[in-house]
Amino acid sequence: MNRRFSAAVDYTLALAALLFVWWFATGPMALPTFLLPSPLRTWNALVTIALTGELWLHLGFTLQNIVLGLILGCIAGIAIAYVMTRFPKLAVWLDGPLVILQTAPKIALAPLFVVWFGFGVLSKIILIFSLVFFPVFVGAVAGFRTLDPKMKDLSKLLGLSAVQRFRQIELPAAMPEIFVGLKIGAVQALVGAVLAEWMSGKVGLGYLMTFASATYKTPLLFAAVLMTVVLGLVLHVALTILERRLLSWKGAKNG
Amino acid sequence: MAQSERMIDIAGVHKTFVADHGTVTALEPVSITIREGEFISIVGPSGCGKSTLLRLISGLDQATGGSITLNVSGRKRPVGFVFQEPVLLPWKTIVDNVRFPLDTAGVARAQGDKTALDLIKMVGLAGFEKALPRQLSGGMRQRAAIARALSDDPPILLMDEPFSAVDLMTRDNLNDELLRIWQSTGKTILLVTHSVDEAAYLADRVMVMTARPGKLQCVHTVELARPRGEQTKLDPAYHALVAQLRRDLRTPAGEAH
Amino acid sequence: MAQSERMIDIAGVHKTFVADHGTVTALEPVSITIREGEFISIVGPSGCGKSTLLRLISGLDQATGGSITLNVSGRKRPVGFVFQEPVLLPWKTIVDNVRFPLDTAGVARAQGDKTALDLIKMVGLAGFEKALPRQLSGGMRQRAAIARALSDDPPILLMDEPFSAVDLMTRDNLNDELLRIWQSTGKTILLVTHSVDEAAYLADRVMVMTARPGKLQCVHTVELARPRGEQTKLDPAYHALVAQLRRDLRTPAGEAH
Amino acid sequence: MILRGIAGLIATLVLWTAIVVIFRVPAFLLPGPLEVFARLLFLFENAKLFRHIGVTLTEIVAGFVIGTAVGILAGVVFARLPRVERFATPLILLLQTAPKIAIAPLLLLWLGIGPTPKIVLIAIVTFFPVMSGMVTGLRYGEGSFRDLGAVLKLSPWQSFWHIELPSALPAVLAGMAVATTLAMTAAVIGELMGANEGIGYLLSSGQENSDTAVVIGMVLLLSLIGWAFYEVIELIRRRSLGRFQLS
Amino acid sequence: ADKVVLQIDGAAAPFYAPLYAGVDKGIFEKNGIEVEFIYAAAADILTNIAAGNVDFGFPNGDAVVAAAANGLPVKVVHTTYQRGIGALLAKGSSGIKTYKDLKGKKIAVTSLASPNYLQLQVGLKQAGLSLDDVSVEVVATGAIVQSLQAGQVDAIVFSELRKYNLEADGTKVTMILSNDFLPSFGNVVVTSSKKLSANPDLVKRFTTAVTQSYEWVIDGHIGDALDISLAKYTPTWPKDQKAILTTAFEQTFVPSVWQSALTKQKGLGAADLAAWQKNADILAQYKVIDSAPKAADFVVDPSTIGK
Ligand SMILES: Nc1ncnc2c1ncn2[C@@H]1O[C@H](COP(=O)(O)OP(=O)(O)OP(=O)(O)O)[C@@H](O)[C@H]1O
Ligand SMILES: Nc1ncnc2c1ncn2[C@@H]1O[C@H](COP(=O)(O)OP(=O)(O)OP(=O)(O)O)[C@@H](O)[C@H]1O
Ligand SMILES: [Mg+2]
Ligand SMILES: [Mg+2]
């Protein structure tokens, strides 16, 4: 309780510091609005679209894509990582294509995703999925690989079924590393969602950004950027709380 | 307790590890037949291959040569194992750890809980059911591991220095509990220990192993009356055996008698 | 070996853990003063707070109350610690693990190697210098950890059941080696053990602790002649003390005499 | 490793060709490997492809090295001082989530045109996974090793070098593997912000000209670079973890 | 020589051959200027200019109007393209010949904030239709042409120049120029108000060099300019497209894009303030911008620079 409270204080302080720097850059340092609008102008732009209800439409759409992509990427990442650590022979063949597919910069392919997968929400989800997948996958592989051999002995001894071994031993043991991947994946999901909307579409925070950027409505642009950052922070905090819950057994240092 | 059925057949089993710094012969060929319901103690110097032998019997490692046959047709989990270090799942509470073999064998939760709580009480951990392993002392963790190995009642029990980290009194209690369980269930038990007193007190036969390269030096049949108890420790035959075991262990490797 | 300088002052130290399943009093207030160069054994039932006490003395944990003063002005590393579980760095070979305290104290490599190899030989691990911890047996790992604790020659040595996983003969050897080192270096040693024989054989004083909540039941001064050796084990006073310690440990908690 | 690499490459090419042939994908949507290869050859002769590769590679290496170093350092600081971490988190998330394309003019303003903004961008995206790996590796690492370090009164540097880094290594390497993929994307974004050389520059001219073969070719080049990075990290992992108890 | 950075809209393409040839042939050098080309999206170019990140930009005219309307201190100093090059493109096989044929069709634009979306709206209106009669998709620059080729949309509103790409790819296209009903400007040279007032001489020399470069190409050096461009500046372009590009230059750029009635009179890059104003007014009328800026405030005729 107390700790959570102090965490909230820290976040607030940090945000206040950021706000101050922002204010300083636009006030005393006099950066022009078209480069960086003042916090007040941005706030006004935000309030304006919040009042018309437009904001919630965009926000909801982006959030929905993020959550969908995150869940799918997460499931696939963990599943494929598991299969590959269980069957190293398969990994020889799958590893290369997976890595090549992943290191291919999505931003370059994003426009093509639209022609490949259509204008609908599918191409967006696929883009987000493809960005989330890899961090979770790599994290899960690391987690499954570092499994304590004593745990392997135990599961072998108890003759656990594949499902039991996964559920009861391998998954919990790999959790810390999976969470590393998940936290990066969450950020990537956000980046992917915005990117997808940037490339095509008529709704979402990314769309709001292209629109604002092309029409030089910089306060609106930064209002949208602000919303993405807030979204990122919320996702991060949610994952951190979940992590603390699930990994309390680790007795983390400074937990 | 004499049974004639063969339970574990070990024939010429040996094990060599290959490592960067050279090959290590952990176990030279060992042959012995263990009958159903027998209680075997294993003593020997540190690093002589006792743990290796148990791991081979349990099937966790593969022998470099020789064969091991377990006569446990039809049992899915023939062996219970108390590892030398307590291997508890750090994310599960003590009661969940002890119940774990039952849970994964499909035993109903209520039934499992009952068994687990009884065993936890037996090993003296009442009050720590909901604690996590890292919140226990070394000896308490070891006792939790013992409780877990007993929970699903395996016909063969392999115990690798199960009582090394507990105090004398607890150890005596647990020895007697173990004998009680053994007597009532007819398990076959192999127990590695560095205490010759314990080895003699518990076993039907004591295997003495020699230092590296580990091999079987001799096997003593313990002729002490069952059930054992305080009176056993007053028996001169018991003390003679303990003294003999001590002498065996003092014999430098190679000078087997 | 009687020195009058106070080395460790423990005054009303106690420790309570707060956990999800409730608070656990690991240690009720303990007070004792340990002189420089004293050899103290600590015995007590499993879970009575022995490890907790050592951790408090070493500064690894903070006491809930009371104070601990170490009279080791100017020493950067006042204490060496043999943990209850051998904490070897899995990515370092045995010789690197043993040399680790020296390396990090800035001792030259050649010098460090010499010390490390001597100690490795002393604990009977010659031939395993280049092995990794996972390639050793449980007892061998424990011995490597002992060698490491000795390598940088700390004035205070805290040993938590250092010999629990080694066989009798090795244990006897290591006991004598430890006494030799103690005698020649004048270290202050606190040793936790479950073996009352060992406790009596080695110590100047034996601290007996009671079961949960752990507290100091009594302290026996060991009047046996130094240096100790085979003849000590024939001394009736030794056997009387061992028997007394056994009785102490059998006394249910609370009924201190 | 070489075998793995070749196997991976063959598998990718087979998969790619199969998609193109089976679905009869027209070249403007997804050209086949041969076509792309021909286009790459053309660029090699005509466009001094190697110079562009060199430019991008330099940016990536520089950004990656800086990002990794800072990430490891920050990870150590954050794991030791969780308050600092909480304080820095909003700023870090800002840097990670704020769409780079949206703040490009600001970056140019502060860092000038030239390689600096690209390197900084790559360092920023590399930083995050490496830092996360390090923090997790330390925070959830073996507590008993911490005790050992405390008893030996190791200096912060010593406990970092001898205990924290090795025990966090699996997680850090995982972070670095993820970072390779992000670095490739950042390299492209950096060069989209304003450039006249580099793979991203060629890529954007391919995009502008609706020349899918160039786009795919450049993507392929970046993939191969990223893959090479990944394999180097794998190599480090195997070398260093071969000795660990880890399989 | 003064070093300047010129940021060009999009990416290196042979359509900018006169600029490349001007550098290569020493025309800029002769005017005491050394040019570095870099590339970015139009909106970024204007922000960069306003912020002083780059010296000159070569974005399209609509982007400048929008920037000026939002108060960015930018000035058009050379109306290089005298008309807009936005166009509706449809496959020849689609049967679309006029805006009237778009009813019920699917049309792609690059963004709802882009000039091509505005062109679509105006085009539909003058054909008696509205946005409700068609369905609009947004596809980014990198894929819009492919989406037409793949038949995912019936038409795109984009750049006239893509007709040449498509034809090079063997796709026959129908094209309706937006400039016919909506006067606007293609690429124009832009600098910041600050630079113009602080260093008019530099701006003058730069615009002079631009004019001279275009003149050189118009004076019978189309082939040379394309060769320079393809060899050194736009190496990703296949060489076999030179023929198509030559046609484009001869039939479109030289007669109607770079030159107009006005340039015959006042020289290349001359500013038709009235046309600029009309462009701005329409943008305001369609709510692309809040209010129309005064053309005279952000457009400068090259001949008046430094006077
Ligand atoms: N994984 C391994 N790789 C290489 N050598 C090994 C491995 N495991 C055990 N050994 C070696 O095999 C020998 C026997 O080990 P084992 O663990 O069986 O001894 P032990 O009798 O159980 O000893 P202790 O009483 O100390 O536990 C030792 O010399 C050890 O170094
Ligand atoms: N981190 C912890 N969190 C909560 N409780 C703890 C923790 N560490 C120890 N305890 C509790 O403190 C008590 C004393 O533990 P300690 O490890 O000191 O016992 P010990 O005397 O060393 O026992 P053993 O002989 O079994 O090693 C135990 O009841 C244990 O459950
Ligand atoms: Mg062993
Ligand atoms: Mg203890």
Side-chain angles (χ1 to χ4, degrees), chain C residues 77-158:
Chain C
R77 266 183 211 165
V79 295
F81 205 133
V82 180
F83 297 100
Q84 190 161 4
E85 275 147 36
V87 182
L88 300 173
L89 299 177
W91 50 87
K92 284 187 191 284
T93 59
I94 296 307
V95 62
D96 288 344
N97 262 295
V98 173
R99 216 184 47 235
F100 184 56
L102 296 171
D103 285 348
T104 51
V107 174
R109 175 71 181 258
Q111 172 63 35
D113 261 335
K114 203 186 145 320
T115 312
L117 292 177
D118 282 351
L119 283 165
I120 288 176
K121 194 180 275 166
M122 186 197 94
V123 298
L125 288 180
F128 288 89
E129 296 84 0
K130 296 256 168 273
L132 289 170
R134 69 185 154 91
Q135 293 163 332
L136 299 190
S137 77
M140 291 159 85
R141 280 201 281 268
Q142 214 180 22
R143 286 181 273 151
I146 295 169
R148 180 181 60 197
L150 292 170
S151 71
D152 67 340
D153 195 23
I156 300 176
L157 192 56
L158 308 176

Side-chain angles (χ1 to χ4, degrees), chain B residues 27-32 207-210 214-219 256:
Chain B
L27 202 62
E28 299 232 310
V30 168
S31 298
I32 189 169
M207 290 168 65
V208 182
M209 296 180 65
T210 58
K215 69 171 172 250
L216 192 56
Q217 182 183 338
C218 59
V219 181

Side-chain angles (χ1 to χ4, degrees), chain D residues 39 84 92 113 120 143 146 155 196 198 204 235 245:
Chain D
R39 211 77 181 87
V84 175
I92 291 171
I113 44 179
V120 167
R146 277 201 294 272
S155 69
N196 50 20
S204 71
L235 196 72
Q245 77 272 42

Side-chain angles (χ1 to χ4, degrees), chain A residues 32 34-35 111-112 114-119 197-202 207 210-218, chain E residues 42-43 46-47 50-51 63 66-67 70 72-73 106 112-113 136-140 142-143 146-147 152-153 288:
Chain A
F34 59 81
L35 269 182
L112 288 173
V114 181
V115 267
W116 289 342
F117 305 113
F119 302 113
E197 291 155 8
W198 190 285
M199 290 301 162
S200 91
K202 291 172 266 187
Y207 160 74
T210 31
F211 182 81
S213 151
T215 54
Y216 306 91
K217 296 189 174 22
T218 329
Chain E
L46 285 151
T47 318
N70 282 281
L72 273 70
K106 197 182 253 186
L112 296 193
V136 179
E137 292 294 348
V138 175
V139 185
Q146 286 93 328
S147 75
Q152 285 171 324
V153 294
V288 176

Side-chain angles (χ1 to χ4, degrees), chain E residues 17-83:
Chain E
L19 294 174
Y20 302 140
V23 170
D24 201 64
K25 288 284 163 195
I27 298 172
F28 281 90
E29 205 185 338
K30 210 172 61 206
N31 285 288
I33 285 168
E34 192 184 321
V35 188
E36 184 184 355
F37 298 109
I38 66 168
Y39 303 86
D44 274 351
I45 295 176
L46 285 151
T47 318
N48 280 332
I49 287 177
N53 292 344
V54 299
D55 306 296
F56 293 98
F58 201 44
N60 67 64
D62 302 279
V64 188
V65 178
N70 282 281
L72 273 70
V74 292
K75 299 265 195 218
V76 177
V77 290
H78 192 274
T79 309
T80 318
Y81 287 22
Q82 292 285 312
R83 66 165 174 85

Side-chain angles (χ1 to χ4, degrees), chain D residues 154-169:
Chain D
L154 297 187
S155 69
W157 167 252
Q158 285 174 328
S159 57
F160 168 72
W161 184 247
H162 290 289
I163 296 187
E164 296 175 343
L165 189 61
S167 35
L169 205 57

Side-chain angles (χ1 to χ4, degrees), chain E residues 65 275-285 289 291-293 295 298:
Chain E
V65 178
W276 274 105
Q277 192 63 56
K278 187 163 180 220
N279 181 209
D281 290 342
I282 295 176
L283 285 173
Q285 184 191 335
I289 53 180
S291 65
F298 68 95

Side-chain angles (χ1 to χ4, degrees), chain E:
Chain E
D2 293 299
K3 271 197 154 153
V4 302
V5 176
L6 172 62
Q7 192 160 37
I8 296 181
D9 196 343
F15 307 117
Y16 306 122
L19 294 174
Y20 302 140
V23 170
D24 201 64
K25 288 284 163 195
I27 298 172
F28 281 90
E29 205 185 338
K30 210 172 61 206
N31 285 288
I33 285 168
E34 192 184 321
V35 188
E36 184 184 355
F37 298 109
I38 66 168
Y39 303 86
D44 274 351
I45 295 176
L46 285 151
T47 318
N48 280 332
I49 287 177
N53 292 344
V54 299
D55 306 296
F56 293 98
F58 201 44
N60 67 64
D62 302 279
V64 188
V65 178
N70 282 281
L72 273 70
V74 292
K75 299 265 195 218
V76 177
V77 290
H78 192 274
T79 309
T80 318
Y81 287 22
Q82 292 285 312
R83 66 165 174 85
I85 51 173
L88 179 95
L89 300 172
K91 276 193 192 171
S93 53
S94 69
I96 296 174
K97 296 235 156 34
T98 69
Y99 264 84
K100 281 206 175 60
D101 302 328
L102 288 180
K103 195 172 172 61
K105 301 282 195 212
K106 197 182 253 186
I107 301 136
V109 297
T110 52
S111 148
L112 296 193
S114 68
N116 47 55
Y117 185 53
L118 174 72
Q119 291 160 20
L120 175 65
Q121 291 177 56
V122 179
L124 288 170
K125 191 167 179 211
Q126 50 92 33
L129 299 174
S130 79
L131 284 175
D132 300 331
D133 297 311
V134 296
S135 71
V136 179
E137 292 294 348
V138 175
V139 185
T141 311
I144 191 165
V145 174
Q146 286 93 328
S147 75
L148 177 69
Q149 280 179 292
Q152 285 171 324
V153 294
D154 301 300
I156 63 176
V157 184
F158 199 49
S159 160
E160 174 184 354
L161 307 178
R162 293 315 153 106
K163 184 178 138 204
Y164 306 111
N165 293 81
L166 284 164
E167 285 180 346
D169 249 8
T171 314
K172 269 217 72 58
V173 290
T174 317
M175 179 170 84
I176 304 167
L177 278 181
S178 306
N179 200 66
D180 296 349
F181 52 83
L182 174 62
S184 65
F185 300 93
N187 297 64
V188 295
V189 177
V190 178
T191 191
S192 68
S193 310
K194 202 167 144 208
K195 181 141 266 148
L196 181 61
S197 57
N199 201 349
D201 170 57
L202 175 73
V203 178
K204 180 80 197 167
R205 280 186 281 130
F206 188 82
T207 51
T208 307
V210 171
T211 300
Q212 289 170 354
S213 302
Y214 275 86
E215 276 169 351
W216 183 77
V217 177
I218 293 169
D219 290 345
H221 294 107
I222 291 175
D224 299 339
L226 282 174
D227 285 338
I228 292 168
S229 171
L230 289 172
K232 295 192 190 158
Y233 292 90
T234 57
T236 65
W237 278 67
K239 296 262 187 299
D240 55 15
Q241 294 203 2
K242 191 185 166 194
I244 297 168
L245 287 164
T246 308
T247 318
F249 274 45
E250 283 171 348
Q251 293 180 0
T252 311
F253 283 103
V254 171
S256 73
V257 177
W258 302 335
Q259 302 190 87
S260 65
L262 184 67
T263 61
K264 294 268 152 51
Q265 213 181 310
K266 300 176 69 177
L268 294 184
D272 180 349
L273 286 184
W276 274 105
Q277 192 63 56
K278 187 163 180 220
N279 181 209
D281 290 342
I282 295 176
L283 285 173
Q285 184 191 335
Y286 281 86
K287 300 268 180 299
V288 176
I289 53 180
D290 296 333
S291 65
K294 276 229 169 50
D297 290 344
F298 68 95
V299 184
V300 174
D301 193 87
S303 60
T304 65
I305 295 171
K307 297 223 170 104

